Amino acid sequence: MIIKTRSESAELMLLRSLSIRMSLSEKERSNFLNLEKGFKGEQQFDKWFETNFSNEGLILNDLLLESNNTIFQIDSLLITSDVVYLLEIKNYEGDFYRDGDRWCTLSGNEIKNPLLQLKRSESLFRRLLQDFGYKISVEANLIFINPEFFLYQAPLNPSIIFPSQLNRFMDKLNKKSTNLKDRHQKLAKHLVSIKLKDSPYTRLPDYCYDQLEKGISCGGCNTLMDDIDAKEEILECKKCGNKEDVPAAILRSVREFSMLFPDKKITTNTIYEWCKGIRTKRTLQRILSQNLNLIGFGRPSFYIFFQAKPD
Ligand SMILES: [Zn+2]
């Protein structure tokens, strides 16, 4: 049973939007691509897990927690009756090698040692359980989800699950006899209640409104759509063919705008400029008034979403 679903981090969503609307430095771009790739891997893991896991268990995805004054991230947690599995998911692709504690791509670029990352999360998580008085064992696994990953000189370490071992790992989970009780539910709810929203350590590029390119982005290929004709009911991306209802595309753009500029007011004029290419303000006004709450009257009025976005 999924107790907490996965969603993109605020950092990834912001970087995705900025990457479409401004040029990122090489470092920012590589951070963005890493986050995007990591998220795709996690989604792939979720799909694989959902299809194959047939046992009883509580699943909590992407938890940002704090223990011992340190913030750490858990990609997936599976609570069974006697063991909590802490799963770190990696979407590495291509050939890598290990030299002692150093992990490198074959071209020689050193990456963060994922085993050390796993050990750190594991010990912080054990400490957290201990601090709250939970007595349950923890097993941490490093899961390489991408079938195109290969590691030369791999360590003999049973906590690593390589792509060719995924099926056997799942068999092991499915064969466990498990009997969930109230205390397991309590633990799951407790973890959700103490999770942090966003990491305070994310470093975003500097950006301002004037510098960003305006227009509606395509949800299919993450580029700005050219020559949109909002008189049609459907917007079609000329690059990838993705189709979206006009109201849905506009509301997505409004959410993007308010994510990038939480302090700016949503008005027909600002959104008209933001969604560059929409032919008439009338269309826009209709969509905004049907889907958002209008605050105030006349010129100083602005819109807000009916309710906060679920997280
Ligand atoms: Zn597209």
Side-chain angles (χ1 to χ4, degrees):
M1 190 174 33
I2 298 175
I3 304 292
K4 185 187 170 295
T5 53
R6 190 184 306 285
S7 55
E8 285 115 321
S9 65
E11 183 185 16
L12 174 56
M13 288 203 292
L14 272 158
L15 284 173
R16 194 183 283 156
S17 170
L18 293 176
S19 74
I20 299 171
R21 299 176 184 276
M22 66 184 258
S23 59
L24 299 176
S25 71
E26 209 175 306
K27 210 172 158 193
E28 291 159 351
R29 183 147 193 88
S30 110
N31 178 31
F32 162 58
L33 294 176
N34 276 337
L35 289 175
E36 193 79 281
K37 194 167 175 73
F39 185 68
K40 285 223 172 81
E42 287 161 15
Q43 282 180 312
Q44 215 174 312
F45 169 85
D46 293 346
K47 211 165 133 195
W48 168 77
F49 196 90
E50 243 171 80
T51 320
N52 295 291
F53 184 68
S54 55
N55 210 337
E56 222 187 332
L58 305 174
I59 300 145
L60 293 97
N61 291 316
D62 86 275
L63 288 175
L64 190 67
L65 298 168
E66 185 172 355
S67 166
N68 198 22
N69 295 317
T70 311
I71 290 173
F72 65 107
Q73 163 90 30
I74 295 176
D75 291 337
S76 278
L77 206 65
L78 170 67
I79 302 177
T80 66
S81 52
D82 56 341
V83 180
V84 178
Y85 293 88
L86 184 159
L87 309 174
E88 171 80 28
I89 300 149
K90 294 291 179 205
N91 190 16
Y92 297 169
E93 190 174 344
D95 296 329
F96 290 68
Y97 71 91
R98 184 192 62 109
D99 178 12
D101 269 346
R102 288 175 68 231
W103 288 52
C104 301
T105 62
L106 269 202
S107 53
N109 290 325
E110 188 167 348
I111 56 163
K112 262 195 215 159
N113 181 333
L115 268 180
L116 293 183
Q117 255 177 286
L118 182 77
K119 270 190 200 148
R120 176 180 174 271
S121 311
E122 184 186 359
S123 77
L124 288 165
F125 185 64
R126 277 184 206 281
R127 166 90 188 247
L128 184 141
L129 291 181
Q130 197 186 329
D131 286 350
F132 285 112
Y134 291 102
K135 287 195 183 84
I136 186 161
S137 7
V138 175
E139 186 183 315
N141 289 106
L142 180 60
I143 297 193
F144 291 102
I145 193 72
N146 196 317
E148 297 299 321
F149 171 70
F150 188 79
L151 180 67
Y152 288 96
Q153 297 169 110
L156 201 134
N157 186 327
S159 56
I160 304 180
I161 311 295
F162 289 107
S164 55
Q165 298 173 309
L166 282 166
N167 288 337
R168 272 172 288 149
F169 178 64
M170 185 53 84
D171 276 350
K172 181 183 109 175
L173 295 179
N174 281 336
K175 279 186 188 137
K176 274 176 68 76
S177 76
T178 152
N179 179 16
L180 292 176
K181 302 259 169 49
D182 279 352
R183 62 191 165 93
H184 300 105
Q185 296 279 357
K186 203 182 124 208
L187 168 62
K189 279 189 191 145
H190 188 183
L191 290 172
V192 171
S193 75
I194 57 168
K195 75 175 170 59
L196 308 176
K197 263 197 116 170
D198 286 311
S199 169
Y201 301 123
T202 52
R203 240 191 249 154
L204 290 169
D206 284 328
Y207 63 93
C208 67
Y209 180 80
D210 289 337
Q211 161 201 18
L212 299 189
E213 225 177 300
K214 317 295 185 291
I216 296 181
S217 66
C218 165
C221 65
N222 288 330
T223 58
L224 284 179
M225 287 198 264
D226 312 315
D227 301 331
I228 49 173
D229 185 357
K231 273 191 231 143
E232 306 288 331
E233 288 295 299
I234 305 275
L235 289 183
E236 185 174 347
C237 172
K238 299 206 167 80
K239 288 171 208 126
C240 75
N242 188 55
K243 289 180 183 166
E244 193 173 12
D245 284 353
V246 169
I250 287 180
L251 289 172
R252 191 168 49 77
S253 302
V254 177
R255 285 199 191 282
E256 188 188 347
F257 173 81
S258 70
M259 167 188 73
L260 289 165
F261 305 104
D263 299 331
K264 278 197 196 296
K265 290 202 164 87
I266 301 169
T267 67
T268 309
N269 282 335
T270 51
I271 298 304
Y272 183 69
E273 188 179 86
W274 180 246
C275 298
K276 194 178 94 185
I278 290 290
R279 296 280 164 89
T280 64
K281 281 190 194 173
R282 283 252 296 288
T283 317
L284 202 60
Q285 200 156 20
R286 179 172 48 84
I287 295 167
L288 291 179
S289 63
Q290 280 170 355
N291 294 282
L292 280 78
N293 239 347
L294 184 67
I295 305 287
F297 299 96
R299 273 203 74 93
S301 63
F302 58 94
Y303 292 94
I304 55 164
F305 285 100
F306 282 109
Q307 57 191 43
K309 259 195 309 173
D311 67 13

